[in-house]
Amino acid sequence: MNVRTTLTWAALTLVVAGSSLAPNGHAETVAPIVAQAVPNAVGEILGIRIPDSKLARDAAQVIRDTETDLLFQHSMRVYYWAALAGKRKGLTFDPELLYVAAMFHDYGLTAGYGESHLRYEVDGANAAREFLRSHGISEADGQRVWLAIALHTTNGISPHMDPTAALLAEAANMDLVGAGFDDFTAEQRSAVEAAYPRPPQFAEGFLQTLYESLKHRPETTQGTGLADVMAYKDPGFRRRDFSNLMRKSRWTTGQ
């Protein structure tokens, strides 16, 4: 673990313990944030509940304290889309693990990773696994969540994995690009949007958030859809061409 990751996890651990760093650098309690973070913890949306457990509350506390409102609201919607899809499909899944995966799936986009050169998905997956370890969750379950987050932007893989991974990827695509939009009823879409509203400029806001997190590590976007974001935001960005890599490799050129 490098120094930056260590510092990031130290801050995360501090939040879990019940404090966060205020803008002035001093610790302040975050109990009010927890209440805001899980407004439906004892309620439900169309039969779907946020797990009412310490694990879920602590996860929400970490994310609410470190992510912007835009990312937090997106993560909450992702959980509901995932759980609703799982219920519709009759899948067996652990709501707590799915909730933690949804909460942390964009954690790698937060300010603590301003010097990371890992894929942002891996940063979030690593943080989620450490969070689960700190709560005594088994390594096997931690690995399930790690894979779900690490692969959620890799289309074509997650649907063939554990339901946690399959549902997380499906839900993220639903919230970002409307994939599977008609698989959800109008009532479901309205209920989730009413609880966690989508800002009118969500698309541009999310694209900007991605760019701000990725512009210092553009190499991590190559070969993924995130390269499209880089090209959209940075006219000087050039996508890596796999065909050229093969045709100009030392194997081919003999140099």
Side-chain angles (χ1 to χ4, degrees):
M1 182 179 290
N2 60 34
V3 174
R4 187 66 184 183
T5 304
T6 302
L7 291 174
T8 300
W9 178 243
L12 190 152
T13 303
L14 180 62
V15 174
V16 172
S19 299
S20 65
L21 294 180
N24 61 9
H26 299 296
E28 62 179 5
T29 60
V30 294
I33 293 177
V34 178
Q36 297 171 21
V38 196
N40 294 303
V42 295
E44 62 182 49
I45 296 178
L46 300 178
I48 300 298
R49 290 177 174 269
I50 294 173
D52 187 15
S53 66
K54 185 178 188 306
L55 181 70
R57 289 190 294 273
D58 285 353
Q61 186 174 6
V62 170
I63 301 308
R64 195 69 179 106
D65 193 61
T66 53
E67 288 191 351
T68 62
D69 282 345
L70 183 142
L71 283 181
F72 173 74
Q73 300 280 359
H74 163 65
S75 294
M76 292 300 296
R77 292 194 302 271
V78 164
Y79 170 71
Y80 279 104
W81 301 137
L84 286 167
K87 182 178 180 181
R88 180 180 71 245
K89 296 178 178 183
L91 296 179
T92 300
F93 60 91
D94 185 320
E96 281 189 310
L97 295 184
L98 183 62
Y99 184 72
V100 171
M103 288 293 96
F104 278 90
H105 83 281
D106 281 337
Y107 189 77
L109 297 175
T110 56
Y113 296 97
E115 296 180 9
S116 173
H117 282 274
L118 296 177
R119 283 181 57 162
Y120 96 86
E121 304 95 318
V122 172
D123 283 329
N126 287 343
R129 183 164 58 188
E130 289 301 316
F131 170 81
L132 291 169
R133 282 174 177 163
S134 76
H135 284 70
I137 304 302
S138 72
E139 287 297 308
D141 283 343
Q143 185 67 5
R144 287 166 61 193
V145 172
W146 191 95
L147 286 169
I149 296 173
L151 293 173
H152 82 272
T153 62
T154 306
N155 291 332
I157 302 296
S158 297
H160 303 282
M161 296 180 64
D162 172 271
T164 302
L167 293 172
L168 180 68
E170 178 178 349
N173 279 324
M174 163 60 177
D175 203 62
L176 293 179
V177 301
F181 187 88
D182 291 330
D183 293 333
F184 298 87
T185 67
E187 181 186 18
Q188 290 173 332
R189 296 193 300 266
S190 295
V192 173
E193 289 287 305
Y196 298 97
R198 177 187 307 273
Q201 298 301 315
F202 173 76
E204 288 301 323
F206 195 87
L207 288 170
Q208 187 63 34
T209 296
L210 286 170
Y211 178 66
E212 291 298 330
S213 177
L214 300 174
K215 64 183 180 181
H216 74 279
R217 44 179 166 178
E219 71 282 359
T220 67
T221 72
Q222 295 288 4
T224 78
L226 297 173
D228 296 338
V229 178
M230 295 301 300
Y232 172 59
K233 290 291 185 177
D234 179 4
F237 177 78
R238 294 294 179 265
R239 291 181 178 85
R240 184 180 64 200
D241 187 324
F242 182 72
S243 298
N244 277 338
L245 289 178
M246 289 196 70
R247 290 188 296 106
K248 297 179 180 180
S249 76
R250 294 183 67 180
W251 293 111
T252 303
T253 64
Q255 299 176 359

